[in-house]
Amino acid sequence: FSPNSDQIIVNYNEAFDAKMIITDLHGRIILQESISLGQTAVETAEWETGVYFVTLISGENRGVKKIVR
């Protein structure tokens, strides 16, 4: 994950596709999409300032990263 002022870059290096879910601090889903091997950019320019969580789910594996905008 690489946050900057206008986007989040997600680097995904696994062979299997994953589901990416981004939620705000209150658990509301901001974005939900499938991602595959490579780099995915998520535009955040329209998001309010605050804390967000990026969750990647692939099979039984789950990873969560906190992002502050």
Side-chain angles (χ1 to χ4, degrees), residues 24 26 28 30 44-52 67-69:
D24 66 10
H26 303 289
R28 293 180 292 230
I30 305 301
T44 62
E46 301 293 321
W47 295 8
E48 294 181 23
T49 301
V51 176
Y52 296 88
I67 302 294
V68 178
R69 176 161 164 34

Side-chain angles (χ1 to χ4, degrees), residues 2-19:
S2 300
N4 69 36
S5 60
D6 293 328
Q7 64 181 208
I8 298 169
I9 304 295
V10 179
N11 293 303
Y12 184 68
N13 299 317
E14 299 296 324
F16 303 104
D17 289 350
K19 180 189 284 187

Side-chain angles (χ1 to χ4, degrees), residues 20-31:
M20 177 176 65
I21 303 169
I22 300 176
T23 56
D24 66 10
L25 191 58
H26 303 289
R28 293 180 292 230
I29 295 174
I30 305 301
L31 178 72

Side-chain angles (χ1 to χ4, degrees), residues 41-65:
V42 177
E43 296 298 321
T44 62
E46 301 293 321
W47 295 8
E48 294 181 23
T49 301
V51 176
Y52 296 88
F53 297 95
V54 180
T55 303
L56 296 180
I57 303 168
S58 178
E60 297 294 319
N61 298 318
R62 176 183 297 251
V64 179
K65 176 77 173 181

